[in-house]
Amino acid sequence: MKIYTKKGDQGMTQLIGKNVKKTHARVEAYGTVDELNSFVGLTSVLLQEEKHEDLVMDLTKIQHELFDLGGDLANVTDKHKWTLSNKAVEFLEAKIDHYWDEAPPIRTFILPGGGKASANLHVCRTVARRAERLVVNIQEASDELPPAAIKYLNRLSDYFFAAARAVNARNGTEDVLYERGKDVFK
Amino acid sequence: MKIYTKKGDQGMTQLIGKNVKKTHARVEAYGTVDELNSFVGLTSVLLQEEKHEDLVMDLTKIQHELFDLGGDLANVTDKHKWTLSNKAVEFLEAKIDHYWDEAPPIRTFILPGGGKASANLHVCRTVARRAERLVVNIQEASDELPPAAIKYLNRLSDYFFAAARAVNARNGTEDVLYERGKDVFK
Amino acid sequence: MKIYTKKGDQGMTQLIGKNVKKTHARVEAYGTVDELNSFVGLTSVLLQEEKHEDLVMDLTKIQHELFDLGGDLANVTDKHKWTLSNKAVEFLEAKIDHYWDEAPPIRTFILPGGGKASANLHVCRTVARRAERLVVNIQEASDELPPAAIKYLNRLSDYFFAAARAVNARNGTEDVLYERGKDVFK
Ligand code: B12
Ligand code: B12
Ligand code: B12
Ligand SMILES: C[C@H]1O[C@@H](n2cnc3c(N)ncnc32)[C@H](O)[C@@H]1O
Ligand SMILES: C[C@H]1O[C@@H](n2cnc3c(N)ncnc32)[C@H](O)[C@@H]1O
Ligand SMILES: C[C@H]1O[C@@H](n2cnc3c(N)ncnc32)[C@H](O)[C@@H]1O
Ligand SMILES: [Mg+2]
Ligand SMILES: [Mg+2]
Ligand SMILES: [Mg+2]
């Protein structure tokens, strides 16, 4: 069979268990998780070039988890188990603490950037937050959400923030502080 | 004349044939086609570096077609001809078949990534799907759509998928299979 | 304190002065300004590699201004001063005129691309326009907007257009004209 099935040419598509419009809140959400996954794949290549092997391993784990999440979001059948678990959230929290300690403390916002991998981690951070907003949007349609979904994406964006700062610290690149910023990190 | 005309400073802008808010569904759609076009331009540079000349030529053709599509989406005048035609769709289908045969067969989802050009092709794939959702959204406003629009963007995302896999195959990079994935490709 | 506060795990979050859903129009808008800021950070790294020092300095200034804008958009308290001013808009206009003169005149649309930095400037251009649409969307909720917000983002996208063309001109890369394009630039 060909990968193009032409089934979606009238604007409809399939969830696991239901046919819906391509603008359905769930399709918007897992489509954006897929977009995030692509930026993570790109960032992984750049981290490999800069030899941050531990982060490359994290990102591969995260890419699998984004598929777990996407599958959970696509699934509207009655009896099914969630694939993404709270363990993935706890793993991220441990990693955030770890990378956070590698970078010098900050009180103000910092400009996203520094090096190629680090800048791409900030892109991942903000696309993760876009995905998070679209998952919250499913919730507003008063539809059942995978229990770990919001938590996972929220922590994931903090993970990318901590990781971006650790990469800059390792490369000897100082984060530029937002010059008109008040103290926001407590 | 300067490129900044200041006409849009109150939040209104022009289609071909009508003045509308910048949040109009058509503006969202062709604005995203323009965003996609920019990622395609970037990916083309990376494919050139990796010497995939056939793909570079495809992407230039696609960039022109994205302008055809954007113009069609912007046009709300009564009598006008569509610029994007079904021939462009058929060309993509032939290319999909061609690149699909270059990569080893898969049954499960694969992690987007591998190399720089390939990862960027996955970004294009997912941004094309975002654009497709916004074109379907015009349809919901029960507004006339360019006949080839959804089909073209749908096939384009499959084209990027096949191309990303072909590039990895040529570079000797194996696609990583989603580890908890069932057989989804038939 | 840790950067992850877990406060947002139920889908709510804070503006400066109010608690709202993460799908609130203001959160969508400054979240996208943050995404734009990340792409600007990435583009800055690439411009540094290609030794366009003047553009690197512009982009750093712009990154600070995007934080000014984000803070203004987040602020719904009664008495506060706007941080982003019209001076920033005028600065962009002067820069547009300057870079515009560096590149050969055009009458038709051009394909986004050419080199790595230039292609990324086009990505910034189109993400700035996405941010602009989301700021206009706040306005539709008949909510008070920072006076410079739309103007700034609008001019910023023209800045990225002019800058992308100047970079190509400096690198001796000719912009490819959209082949089926009529004269659109007057
Ligand atoms: C807006 C905002 C953002 C925006 C920034 C907007 C912009 N400028 O572009 C964006 C979306 C970019 C953002 C991003 C992030 N943010 Co943020 N953000 C905020 C928010 C809502 C406001 C920050 C701000 O600008 N405050 C401005 C100051 C002036 O306001 P204020 O401190 O509330 O002070 C007011 C009053 O309290 C009073 N006041 C203050 N001090 C005093 C003193 C006295 C004596 C008196 C009388 C009054 C007074 O007057 C002030 C003016 O109104 C805060 C939450 C909050 N409500 O504080 C989180 C917050 C600072 N962010 C947070 C985080 C984690 C992040 C991110 C890391 C998230 C991520 N994973 O991406 C990133 C980091 C970005 C970066 N590059 O550094 C956390 C920090 C947690 C911590 N441990 O400290 C906070 C606290 C939210 C939270 N609870 O989780 N953020
Ligand atoms: C969700 C989804 C996605 C999500 C993935 C979500 C995630 N995990 O992140 C995203 C958006 C990422 C995605 C992307 C793509 N997808 Co997709 N996707 C699907 C979808 C809707 C579900 C796939 C899935 O996870 N199934 C899970 C399994 C377990 O479900 P199932 O096979 O339906 O099985 C259920 C029942 O049938 C039953 N069952 C199954 N087997 C059996 C056997 C027995 C005996 C019994 C009793 C019951 C039973 O139980 C299961 C549990 O509910 C399918 C369409 C569909 N409804 O199957 C398309 C589908 C697999 N996708 C497709 C395509 C083409 C793609 C893309 C290439 C599109 C693109 N151009 O980008 C990409 C590839 C991405 C990649 N990196 O590999 C095509 C494949 C066409 C083909 N030739 O096979 C499909 C079939 C859609 C279609 N008709 O066009 N996709
Ligand atoms: C759609 C559009 C876009 C789309 C393009 C869609 C696509 N093809 O993908 C997108 C979103 C990509 C875009 C981007 C940009 N655009 Co634009 N765009 C337009 C718009 C609305 C239409 C352009 C078009 O395709 N016209 C097609 C022609 C055929 O239409 P027309 O000229 O109106 O002609 C019709 C009639 O007038 C009549 N007609 C025309 N000539 C004649 C002659 C005679 C004798 C008769 C009887 C009839 C007649 O028939 C025509 C058919 O309907 C114009 C505004 C406008 N309404 O013209 C701005 C416009 C051209 N864009 C503009 C700008 C600045 C840009 C950007 C630089 C913005 C940015 N910062 O990103 C980019 C540049 C992109 C690039 N890569 O080059 C400006 C140019 C300002 C200037 N100084 O000239 C314009 C004029 C808008 C404005 N007022 O600000 N744009
Ligand atoms: C750091 C600040 O970012 C905002 N915030 C919280 N979640 C998101 C999201 N998904 N997208 C954008 N902004 C968000 C809140 O205002 C928070 O306080
Ligand atoms: C492969 C799966 O992706 C989903 N799908 C179809 N079209 C889109 C789109 N434009 N954006 C995101 N997801 C989409 C459907 O669920 C399809 O079955
Ligand atoms: C150049 C053309 O782009 C459209 N336009 C104006 N503002 C935006 C925006 N923020 N996003 C997308 N398109 C826009 C209008 O149609 C304008 O005429
Ligand atoms: Mg399809
Ligand atoms: Mg304009
Ligand atoms: Mg948080």
Side-chain angles (χ1 to χ4, degrees):
Chain A
M1 202 170 133
K2 308 199 165 191
I3 49 160
Y4 52 96
T5 60
K6 307 192 181 183
K7 286 194 195 161
D9 289 356
Q10 256 62 46
M12 297 293 292
T13 196
Q14 329 154 259
L15 302 177
I16 305 173
K18 198 181 176 183
N19 283 355
V20 296
K21 280 246 171 171
K22 286 188 181 183
T23 51
H24 190 283
R26 286 183 181 273
V27 181
E28 286 287 351
Y30 64 69
T32 305
V33 169
D34 191 15
E35 186 180 341
L36 171 59
N37 207 156
S38 301
F39 280 110
V40 175
L42 174 60
T43 305
S44 185
V45 178
L46 300 168
L47 285 166
Q48 223 151 335
E49 283 189 356
E50 296 184 14
K51 309 238 181 283
H52 301 291
E53 289 302 336
D54 51 346
L55 287 153
V56 172
M57 277 174 56
D58 292 352
L59 292 208
T60 301
K61 183 175 187 300
I62 287 166
Q63 288 197 288
H64 287 292
E65 289 163 356
L66 289 175
F67 269 105
D68 295 344
L69 173 58
D72 284 350
L73 291 170
N75 202 319
V76 292
T77 59
D78 270 347
K79 355 169 192 166
H80 69 91
K81 292 186 292 183
W82 307 114
T83 309
L84 186 71
S85 84
N86 248 315
K87 282 212 173 133
V89 177
E90 284 157 24
F91 180 88
L92 287 177
E93 291 174 355
K95 286 284 178 177
I96 293 168
D97 295 342
H98 177 80
Y99 295 126
W100 194 244
D101 287 338
E102 278 195 50
I106 47 168
R107 293 185 162 278
T108 60
F109 289 127
I110 53 155
L111 303 190
K116 235 176 292 187
S118 177
N120 270 283
L121 283 162
H122 278 288
V123 170
C124 291
R125 175 180 67 78
T126 53
V127 177
R129 284 155 75 80
R130 174 149 55 87
E132 187 194 24
R133 298 192 295 274
L134 288 164
V135 168
V136 171
N137 190 49
I138 298 178
Q139 196 185 27
E140 288 188 11
S142 80
D143 215 0
E144 196 195 9
L145 269 193
I150 298 179
K151 250 188 282 195
Y152 182 80
L153 287 171
N154 196 283
R155 232 60 94 237
L156 186 57
S157 80
D158 290 339
Y159 167 88
F160 289 130
F161 189 66
R165 300 204 63 232
V167 166
N168 278 344
R170 289 180 195 180
N171 294 350
T173 307
E174 269 181 54
D175 280 318
V176 179
L177 304 178
Y178 168 43
E179 60 193 3
R180 287 175 287 280
K182 315 259 163 58
D183 285 3
V184 292
F185 291 103
K186 300 285 144 69
Chain B
M1 201 170 133
K2 306 197 164 192
I3 50 160
Y4 52 97
T5 61
K6 306 192 181 183
K7 286 194 196 160
D9 288 356
Q10 256 62 46
M12 298 291 293
T13 195
Q14 329 154 258
L15 303 177
I16 305 173
K18 198 181 176 183
N19 282 356
V20 296
K21 282 248 170 167
K22 286 187 182 184
T23 51
H24 190 284
R26 285 184 182 273
V27 180
E28 286 287 350
Y30 64 69
T32 305
V33 169
D34 191 15
E35 185 179 342
L36 171 59
N37 208 158
S38 301
F39 280 111
V40 175
L42 175 59
T43 305
S44 185
V45 177
L46 299 168
L47 284 166
Q48 222 151 338
E49 283 189 356
E50 297 184 14
K51 308 234 180 288
H52 300 291
E53 289 303 335
D54 51 345
L55 287 153
V56 172
M57 277 174 56
D58 293 351
L59 292 208
T60 301
K61 182 175 188 298
I62 287 166
Q63 288 198 288
H64 287 292
E65 289 164 355
L66 289 174
F67 269 105
D68 295 344
L69 172 59
D72 284 350
L73 291 170
N75 202 319
V76 293
T77 57
D78 270 347
K79 354 167 193 167
H80 69 91
K81 290 185 293 180
W82 306 113
T83 309
L84 186 71
S85 84
N86 248 314
K87 282 213 172 133
V89 177
E90 284 157 24
F91 180 88
L92 287 178
E93 291 174 355
K95 285 284 178 179
I96 294 168
D97 294 343
H98 177 80
Y99 295 126
W100 194 244
D101 287 339
E102 278 195 50
I106 47 168
R107 292 185 163 278
T108 60
F109 288 128
I110 53 155
L111 302 190
K116 235 178 292 187
S118 177
N120 269 284
L121 283 162
H122 279 287
V123 170
C124 292
R125 176 180 66 78
T126 53
V127 177
R129 283 155 75 81
R130 173 150 53 89
E132 186 194 24
R133 298 192 296 272
L134 288 164
V135 168
V136 171
N137 190 49
I138 299 178
Q139 197 184 28
E140 288 187 10
S142 80
D143 215 1
E144 197 196 8
L145 269 192
I150 298 179
K151 250 188 282 192
Y152 182 80
L153 286 171
N154 195 285
R155 230 61 95 237
L156 186 57
S157 80
D158 290 340
Y159 167 88
F160 289 129
F161 188 66
R165 301 204 62 232
V167 166
N168 278 343
R170 290 181 195 179
N171 294 349
T173 307
E174 269 182 53
D175 281 318
V176 179
L177 303 178
Y178 168 42
E179 60 194 4
R180 288 177 286 282
K182 315 259 163 59
D183 285 2
V184 291
F185 292 104
K186 299 287 144 70
Chain C
M1 203 170 132
K2 308 198 163 191
I3 50 160
Y4 51 97
T5 60
K6 306 192 181 182
K7 285 194 197 161
D9 288 357
Q10 256 61 46
M12 297 292 293
T13 196
Q14 328 155 258
L15 303 177
I16 305 173
K18 198 181 177 184
N19 283 356
V20 296
K21 281 248 170 167
K22 288 187 181 184
T23 51
H24 190 283
R26 285 184 183 273
V27 180
E28 286 287 350
Y30 64 69
T32 305
V33 169
D34 192 15
E35 186 179 340
L36 171 59
N37 208 158
S38 301
F39 280 109
V40 175
L42 175 59
T43 306
S44 184
V45 178
L46 299 169
L47 284 166
Q48 222 151 337
E49 283 189 356
E50 296 184 14
K51 308 236 181 287
H52 301 291
E53 289 303 335
D54 52 346
L55 287 154
V56 172
M57 278 174 56
D58 292 353
L59 292 208
T60 301
K61 182 175 188 298
I62 288 166
Q63 288 198 288
H64 287 292
E65 289 163 357
L66 289 175
F67 269 105
D68 295 344
L69 172 59
D72 285 350
L73 292 170
N75 202 318
V76 293
T77 59
D78 269 347
K79 354 167 192 168
H80 70 89
K81 291 185 293 182
W82 306 114
T83 309
L84 186 70
S85 84
N86 248 314
K87 283 214 172 130
V89 177
E90 284 157 23
F91 180 88
L92 287 178
E93 291 174 354
K95 285 286 178 177
I96 294 168
D97 294 342
H98 177 80
Y99 294 127
W100 194 245
D101 287 338
E102 279 195 50
I106 46 167
R107 293 185 161 278
T108 60
F109 289 128
I110 54 156
L111 303 190
K116 236 178 289 187
S118 177
N120 270 283
L121 283 163
H122 279 288
V123 170
C124 291
R125 175 179 67 79
T126 52
V127 177
R129 283 156 75 80
R130 173 149 55 87
E132 186 194 24
R133 298 192 295 274
L134 288 164
V135 168
V136 171
N137 190 49
I138 298 178
Q139 196 185 29
E140 288 187 11
S142 79
D143 216 359
E144 198 195 8
L145 269 193
I150 298 179
K151 251 188 281 194
Y152 182 80
L153 287 171
N154 195 283
R155 231 60 94 237
L156 187 57
S157 81
D158 290 339
Y159 166 88
F160 289 129
F161 189 66
R165 300 204 64 231
V167 166
N168 277 344
R170 289 181 194 181
N171 294 349
T173 307
E174 269 181 55
D175 280 319
V176 179
L177 304 177
Y178 168 43
E179 60 193 5
R180 287 176 288 281
K182 315 258 162 58
D183 285 3
V184 291
F185 292 104
K186 299 287 145 66

